[in-house]
C-alpha cells in the first residue's frame, strides 16, 4: 500500500491506496485556526503533528501498516514555519490566508526582482512578504530564523528529520526561480535571506527522506520507507486526477474556485494575476486562475435565505435558463484572478420588485461561472487553451451549476467515477512513485462517470452577460 498525508487548513486527511492505485482506507483529524488580530491567520505546527498522529493511529487500528511501501505529502501552500538552528519552532505558522503583509507584498511586487524571476505577482498570502513583515515587526525572531519551511515540509521534518521542499510548493513562496526550478539568490537577498535559510529542493515524485525508525515502530510502519517530495494542494489534486500534461485541466468548486491547467512549458502571465507554478513532476508547470469565493458565495446566500445550498439549486430545476435581469459579482472577500484587488466586494445588480430568491440563486451560480470564464481568458492569454476539464470540490456535485460553467467556459466537463479524494490521493500516488512504482495507474485519469457539455444558447447568452459583469467591477470597489 501507499500512504498520502494531506495537511489542509481545517484538518489532516490521510488516504491509503493499494498497488492498483485504488483507495482502501482513510482517516481525518480536525485542526483549528487562531486569529489573534484582524487579518491574521495562524496555526501551531505542533497541532499538525498531533492530527497526523491521530490519523495514523486510526489507520493502524484497521489496516496492517507494515504493508505501506511509500509515503507522499501534500498541503496548504504559502505558510511560513520559522525554525531555529535546533529545528525548534520560533512562532506560530503564518498561513496562506493571512493578510498582515499586504504593504510588504505591494512594495516587493513594485520594486522587484520578484515578478521577473518568479513569473507571479507577490501576493500578501505568499511566504516571502511574511518574512519581510517579521523582519520589520519581529526582528529578534527574524534574526534567530535558521530555516523557513512550508507546512507540509514541517511534517516531513517530523517524519524523516530532513529539511526538504519540492518545486510545486516552493513555487508559492516568491523565492523560486520558476524557469530554473531553483531558489533565487536575488529574491532571497531582497528579503534579507540566503539559500542557507532554505530547505533542499527535490521533484515531487523523488525520494526526499526515509521514515524515522521510532515513528515507524509506534504505528506499525516499516522503518526507512521513502517519503516523497510531494506537492502543494492544487498540484497534488492534479496528480490524483491525472492532470499532468499539456491541455489537461480541472475546475475546483470549493470555498474558493480554481481553474487549473497543466503545461509542458513555463508561460507566465503575472499581469492578469494568473499563478504560474512548477508542477509536481519534472519539466512540467501549471497555470491557475483563483477566485476567492466560489461555493462559499452560494453558502453565503443560503445562510441569508435560511435554506441549504442544495435546496436553492433544486428550486431552479434540471435545465439552466438563460440569464435573467440580476447579475451577481462574487467578490465577497476581494478577488485574485484576473484583478488582484482586495478592495472589491460582492454586488447584486438589476434587482426589482419581481426579483425572487430563485433569481438570486441563479445570479450567484452565473457570477461564479463568469468569474471562472475570466480566469480561462487570462490563462488563454498566456498561451493555454482548455477544451476539456475535470471537476472536483463540493460544488461539482451540482450538474446544474456545472452546465452553466461548461457553457461559460465553452468546454466539456468530466465528472470522475471514483469518490473525490482530492490532494490526499495525489500525495499517495507520489509516494508510490518515490517507492519506484512505475505503473501507469499512478498517473492515469480516473474513469469518467458522466460528461457535462456546453449549451450553445446558454453560452451565447453568457457571453453577452460577461460584458455587463466586467463593466460593473469598478462600482464594486470599496474605495469608490
Amino acid at each position: 500500500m501507499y500512504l498520502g498525508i494531506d495537511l489542509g487548513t481545517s484538518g489532516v486527511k490521510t488516504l491509503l491506496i493499494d498497488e492498483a492505485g485504488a483507495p482502501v482506507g482513510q482517516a481525518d483529524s480536525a485542526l483549528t485556526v487562531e486569529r489573534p488580530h484582524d487579518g491574521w491567520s495562524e496555526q501551531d505546527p505542533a497541532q499538525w503533528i498531533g492530527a497526523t498522529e491521530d490519523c495514523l493511529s486510526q489507520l493502524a487500528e484497521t489496516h496492517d501498516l507494515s504493508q505501506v511501501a511509500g509515503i507522499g505529502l501534500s498541503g496548504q501552500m504559502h505558510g511560513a514555519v520559522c525554525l531555529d538552528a535546533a529545528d525548534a519552532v520560533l512562532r506560530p505558522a503564518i498561513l496562506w490566508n493571512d493578510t498582515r503583509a499586504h504593504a510588504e507584498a505591494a512594495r516587493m511586487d513594485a520594486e522587484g526582482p520578484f515578478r521577473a524571476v518568479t513569473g507571479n505577482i507577490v501576493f500578501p498570502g505568499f511566504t516571502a512578504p511574511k518574512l519581510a513583515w517579521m523582519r520589520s515587526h519581529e526582528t529578534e525572531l527574524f534574526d534567530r530564523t535558521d530555516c523557513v519551511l512550508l507546512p507540509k515540509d514541517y511534517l516531513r521534518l517530523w517524519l524523516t528529520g530532513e529539511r526538504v521542499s519540492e518545486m510545486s510548493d516552493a513555487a508559492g513562496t516568491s523565492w523560486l526561480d520558476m524557469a530554473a526550478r531553483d531558489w533565487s539568490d536575488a529574491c532571497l537577498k531582497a528579503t534579507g535571506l540566503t539559500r542557507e535559510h532554505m530547505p533542499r529542493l527535490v521533484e515531487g515524485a523523488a525520494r526526499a527522506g526515509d521514515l524515522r525508525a521510532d515513528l515507524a515502530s509506534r504505528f506499525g510502519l516499516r522503518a526507512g520507507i521513502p517519503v516523497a517530495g510531494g506537492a502543494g494542494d492544487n498540484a497534488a489534486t492534479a496528480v490524483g486526477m491525472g492532470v499532468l500534461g499539456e491541455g489537461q485541466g480541472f475546475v475546483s468548486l470549493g470555498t474558493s474556485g480554481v481553474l487549473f491547467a497543466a503545461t509542458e512549458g513555463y508561460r507566465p502571465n503575472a499581469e492578469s494575476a494568473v499563478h504560474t507554478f512548477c508542477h509536481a513532476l519534472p519539466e512540467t508547470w501549471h497555470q491557475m486562475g483563483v477566485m476567492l469565493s466560489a461555493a462559499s458565495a452560494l453558502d453565503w446566500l443560503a445562510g441569508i435565505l435560511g435554506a441549504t445550498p442544495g435546496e436553492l439549486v433544486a428550486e431552479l430545476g434540471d435545465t439552466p435558463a438563460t440569464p435573467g435581469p440580476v447579475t451577481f459579482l462574487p467578490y465577497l472577500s476581494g478577488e485574485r484572478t484576473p484583478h488582484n484587488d482586495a478592495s472589491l466586494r460582492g454586488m447584486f445588480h438589476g434587482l426589482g420588485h419581481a426579483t425572487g430568491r430563485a433569481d438570486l440563486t441563479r445570479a450567484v451560480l452565473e457570477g461564479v461561472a463568469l468569474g471562472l470564464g475570466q480566469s480561462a481568458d487570462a490563462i488563454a492569454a498566456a498561451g493555454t487553451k482548455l477544451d476539456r476539464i475535470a471537476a472536483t470540490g463540493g460544488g461539482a456535485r451540482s450538474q446544474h451549476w456545472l452546465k452553466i460553467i461548461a457553457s461559460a467556459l465553452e468546454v466539456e466537463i468530466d465528472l470522475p467515477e471514483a469518490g473525490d479524494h482530492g490532494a490526499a490521493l495525489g500525495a499517495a500516488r507520489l509516494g508510490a512513485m518515490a517507492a519506484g512504482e512505475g505503473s501507469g495507474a499512478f498517473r492515469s485519469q480516473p474513469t469518467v462517470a458522466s460528461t457535462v457539455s456546453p449549451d450553445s444558447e446558454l453560452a451565447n447568452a453568457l457571453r453577452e452577460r460577461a460584458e455587463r459583469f466586467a463593466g460593473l467591477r469598478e462600482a464594486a470597489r470599496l474605495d469608490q
Side-chain angles (χ1 to χ4, degrees):
M1 297 186 293
Y2 304 98
L3 172 65
I5 303 174
D6 176 39
L7 169 57
T9 311
S10 59
V12 171
K13 178 177 181 178
T14 53
L15 181 72
L16 285 170
I17 61 175
D18 63 18
E19 58 190 3
V24 293
Q26 69 178 61
D28 306 271
S29 187
L31 297 170
T32 57
V33 176
E34 299 299 322
R35 302 184 184 278
H37 302 284
D38 185 43
W40 290 30
S41 180
E42 300 182 341
Q43 283 179 327
D44 181 356
Q47 190 185 178
W48 304 337
I49 292 175
T52 306
E53 289 175 325
D54 181 35
C55 288
L56 293 175
S57 296
Q58 292 178 53
L59 290 175
E61 291 176 1
T62 53
H63 295 81
D64 178 9
L65 297 188
S66 69
Q67 300 303 307
V68 172
I71 299 173
L73 301 173
S74 62
Q76 49 168 303
M77 295 179 66
H78 313 304
V81 184
C82 296
L83 306 177
D84 68 11
D87 289 337
V89 176
L90 291 171
R91 66 168 333 282
I94 308 176
L95 302 188
W96 62 275
N97 54 353
D98 187 294
T99 59
R100 75 184 74 181
H102 61 90
E104 288 81 1
R107 174 182 54 77
M108 294 162 72
D109 190 55
E111 296 177 359
F114 297 93
R115 276 202 198 192
V117 174
T118 72
N120 292 275
I121 292 171
V122 182
F123 291 102
F126 281 14
T127 321
K130 296 178 172 70
L131 269 293
W133 180 90
M134 284 182 63
R135 191 181 187 186
S136 298
H137 299 275
E138 296 179 347
T139 306
E140 181 186 356
L141 292 179
F142 179 86
D143 290 342
R144 290 173 57 197
T145 297
D146 188 69
C147 182
V148 183
L149 292 182
L150 294 157
K152 78 169 194 326
D153 299 326
Y154 182 73
L155 278 186
R156 184 199 327 281
L157 178 66
W158 172 67
L159 290 168
T160 69
E162 300 280 347
R163 293 175 171 182
V164 181
S165 190
E166 49 70 43
M167 306 302 173
S168 70
D169 213 356
T173 61
S174 291
W175 289 319
L176 193 75
D177 183 328
M178 215 67 64
R181 301 173 85 91
D182 190 16
W183 297 120
S184 163
D185 292 312
C187 292
L188 287 165
K189 182 179 180 181
T191 327
L193 300 171
T194 70
R195 63 175 59 227
E196 281 67 45
H197 293 95
M198 296 294 105
R200 176 169 60 90
L201 286 172
V202 300
E203 295 288 351
R207 187 174 192 141
D210 301 331
L211 182 65
R212 289 166 37 202
D214 58 328
L215 287 180
S217 63
R218 279 178 60 191
F219 300 106
L221 291 153
R222 282 182 285 152
I225 59 174
V227 177
D233 47 11
N234 284 301
T237 298
V239 173
M241 301 183 78
V243 175
L244 303 173
E246 185 73 40
Q248 297 177 330
F250 70 83
V251 61
S252 175
L253 292 172
T255 300
S256 59
V258 172
L259 184 63
F260 183 107
T263 65
E264 292 173 358
Y266 169 56
R267 299 194 292 268
N269 183 13
E271 291 70 26
S272 292
V274 170
H275 293 14
T276 304
F277 289 165
C278 297
H279 207 337
L281 298 184
E283 298 305 312
T284 57
W285 288 260
H286 66 83
Q287 298 164 331
M288 284 193 303
V290 178
M291 296 182 64
L292 297 180
S293 299
S296 57
L298 184 60
D299 293 340
W300 165 80
L301 180 66
I304 290 175
L305 297 180
T308 67
E311 289 169 345
L312 292 181
V313 176
E315 292 173 4
L316 302 181
D318 295 331
T319 305
T322 54
V326 181
T327 301
F328 175 69
L329 272 59
Y331 308 138
L332 299 179
S333 54
E335 191 53 296
R336 186 76 61 80
T337 309
H339 307 303
N340 186 34
D341 191 343
S343 74
L344 291 175
R345 286 297 179 267
M347 171 194 294
F348 281 111
H349 177 271
L351 300 175
H353 287 294
T355 301
R357 76 179 196 172
D359 299 299
L360 301 180
T361 302
R362 183 170 61 181
V364 167
L365 301 186
E366 291 168 356
V368 172
L370 291 168
L372 290 169
Q374 291 185 332
S375 284
D377 291 342
I379 289 172
T384 303
K385 180 71 169 70
L386 295 171
D387 298 313
R388 189 178 208 98
I389 57 176
T392 186
R397 291 192 291 267
S398 170
Q399 292 266 339
H400 188 109
W401 203 354
L402 290 181
K403 189 74 171 182
I404 297 173
I405 293 170
S407 301
L409 274 60
E410 299 187 59
V411 298
E412 304 275 345
I413 299 181
D414 293 327
L415 280 170
E417 188 176 75
D420 189 353
H421 296 289
L425 176 56
R429 285 183 163 195
L430 291 168
M433 295 179 201
E437 177 56 68
S439 169
F442 298 101
R443 297 172 181 256
S444 64
Q445 294 188 324
T447 302
V448 174
S450 62
T451 298
V452 179
S453 300
D455 177 272
S456 58
E457 182 182 358
L458 181 57
N460 289 334
L462 287 169
R463 202 177 302 118
E464 294 178 5
R465 179 53 55 92
E467 295 182 15
R468 181 198 294 181
F469 179 83
L472 290 170
R473 179 170 64 92
E474 280 302 309
R477 296 184 62 192
L478 284 177
D479 55 3
Q480 293 299 307

